[in-house]
Amino acid sequence: MICVAASTAFAQTTTANSASIGADSVAKNNPTAPTMPDTAYHAHKAPGFSFDVTFSRIDLGLTTLLDHGSFTLSPNNQFLSYRQWKTSNVGFDLVQFGYRFNSAFKIYVSGGFDWTLIRLRQDITIQKNAPVLTYTEDDVHYSKNRFSASYLRIPLSFYYRSHEDANGGYFRVVAGPEIGVLLNGRVKQISQENGKQKFNDDYHFTRLRQGVFIRAGYGLMGIYAKYYFTDMFENSPAQKGLKEFAFGLTVGF
């Protein structure tokens, strides 16, 4: 995904640079020709509505669980103890609709997908179709024990960019609220005894989560952070107050 986004950006930059070089060549060969300013190839977009099919705002980061505001899990949630550097967040947008006020500011609503991937430490199995979030302790060792949720994400973005510098680049900030609609929950396990296993269920993940996000960066790359106000699980009283925070790198925003 990163390679596709990077190659697209490189092609656009190459085209812009070729146009600038061509204009300079004409000016040198024909001194009487009107000269073009250095920033002539920088597009200044007119105000208006737009709808785009896109592949952008690709998030690759880490997920952290917050238990009543603490990074330490309470006794009720110790079974969710996870490997921090292998617990991740991945997402991207596919469509967007918005309104541009000027070259610097626009707002848009977009749609895409988002995954929370929790790498559990303990040899347990989260149970399907249970009245509350529960688990069993297993006699086998799992080389991978991943507990995950996939969401349809719908963020509302307020976008601002700075003036272009001499290289045509600019600094960008995007922030706003986001809602997520649960698509599926999954347990994926790998062990020597049982091989690879997958189990699908909602696992009491919140069906409609609400949060906020911010992205900031220069050019193609940036950083992002997301925090969800709603609890990570619903209809499971022992997990009340357990929330999700994610941060990492973002590409193509």
Side-chain angles (χ1 to χ4, degrees):
M1 292 187 293
I2 293 174
C3 291
V4 170
S7 62
T8 301
F10 177 78
Q12 292 173 345
T13 302
T14 302
T15 301
N17 288 340
S18 297
S20 178
I21 293 171
D24 291 342
S25 176
V26 170
K28 289 179 181 178
N29 294 331
N30 186 4
T32 62
T35 58
M36 297 177 64
D38 291 340
T39 58
Y41 66 91
H42 295 161
H44 294 278
K45 298 183 179 180
F49 290 97
S50 65
F51 174 80
D52 298 294
V53 176
T54 182
F55 182 59
S56 57
R57 293 171 289 280
I58 305 164
D59 298 331
L60 305 168
L62 299 175
T63 291
T64 297
L65 305 188
L66 297 175
D67 197 333
H68 293 85
S70 172
F71 292 108
T72 302
L73 295 176
S74 63
N76 286 336
N77 295 318
Q78 279 298 315
F79 69 97
L80 292 172
S81 178
Y82 58 97
R83 301 182 188 279
Q84 179 66 66
W85 294 104
K86 293 185 178 181
T87 295
S88 57
N89 168 245
V90 180
F92 53 83
D93 287 343
L94 292 176
V95 295
Q96 67 180 46
F97 172 77
Y99 182 82
R100 178 183 296 278
F101 293 89
N102 50 49
S103 295
F105 181 69
K106 64 180 178 180
I107 61 174
Y108 56 87
V109 62
S110 55
F113 299 99
D114 201 87
W115 290 267
T116 297
L117 308 166
I118 305 171
R119 188 73 171 268
L120 298 175
R121 288 181 176 274
Q122 300 183 36
D123 295 325
I124 62 172
T125 298
I126 309 296
Q127 295 299 289
K128 297 173 56 177
N129 304 316
V132 296
L133 188 66
T134 188
Y135 65 97
T136 58
E137 295 183 357
D138 301 335
D139 294 330
V140 301
H141 172 67
Y142 297 111
S143 57
K144 174 183 285 188
N145 193 3
R146 194 173 69 190
F147 185 36
S148 62
S150 57
Y151 280 86
L152 170 68
R153 74 180 193 187
I154 309 173
L156 174 62
S157 301
F158 296 85
Y159 172 101
Y160 170 80
R161 77 172 215 187
S162 66
H163 292 295
E164 297 170 346
D165 58 24
N167 297 319
Y170 43 84
F171 177 77
R172 290 180 280 189
V173 177
V174 187
E178 178 183 304
I179 63 172
V181 180
L182 180 67
L183 298 176
N184 192 33
R186 171 172 289 184
V187 169
K188 180 179 179 179
Q189 298 172 326
I190 299 177
S191 66
Q192 192 171 28
E193 293 85 351
N194 301 324
K196 182 184 295 185
Q197 296 176 298
K198 295 180 182 179
F199 308 100
N200 295 319
D201 190 49
D202 63 18
Y203 291 108
H204 291 279
F205 280 107
T206 295
R207 294 185 180 275
L208 183 66
R209 66 181 185 183
Q210 305 166 39
V212 292
F213 70 91
I214 184 170
R215 294 182 177 88
Y218 177 86
L220 184 68
M221 300 288 296
I223 57 176
Y224 80 95
K226 293 188 287 189
Y227 173 74
Y228 296 102
F229 302 120
T230 48
D231 288 344
M232 196 169 183
F233 301 97
E234 62 185 13
N235 302 321
S236 188
Q239 281 66 55
K240 185 175 179 59
L242 186 65
K243 303 182 187 299
E244 179 184 352
F245 171 72
F247 62 95
L249 297 177
T250 190
V251 182
F253 72 110

